[in-house]
Amino acid sequence: MGLFSRKSNDTPANPQMTELGREYAIAKRHNDRKTMGRINRQLGTSGASESDMNSFEQGRDAYDAIPSIRNRRKGR
């Protein structure tokens, strides 16, 4: 890697928690309260560690970074 390399090693510690975070972000975008509640209960009972929660947030943020279709069509 060079001095000004933009690549970073942001691989999640727990890919399963990353996928759960992505699923949570999808449910939130579609206002699916049932799925959001299920995921919150699952997180509460699992006793997730700090690295697991970081992986969860990474997955959630990765999906939130994708703009929705509605936002892309406003400029037309």
Side-chain angles (χ1 to χ4, degrees):
M1 292 186 136
L3 182 62
F4 297 106
S5 178
R6 294 181 188 202
K7 292 182 181 179
S8 62
N9 191 5
D10 289 338
T11 56
N14 188 345
Q16 191 175 24
M17 288 299 284
T18 305
E19 185 60 32
L20 193 63
R22 185 175 179 277
E23 187 178 335
Y24 181 84
I26 291 169
K28 187 174 181 181
R29 185 175 283 183
H30 295 284
N31 295 324
D32 185 0
R33 289 189 221 140
K34 184 178 177 182
T35 303
M36 289 171 56
R38 178 184 55 82
I39 293 171
N40 283 331
R41 282 191 303 276
Q42 188 175 353
L43 286 175
T45 59
S46 70
S49 67
E50 187 175 334
S51 64
D52 288 343
M53 290 308 295
N54 287 338
S55 296
F56 178 82
E57 289 175 11
Q58 238 179 346
R60 189 182 65 200
D61 293 341
Y63 188 80
D64 285 340
I66 301 170
S68 69
I69 291 174
R70 293 181 187 144
N71 291 341
R72 283 188 262 170
R73 293 186 183 187
K74 283 185 179 178
R76 292 183 185 182

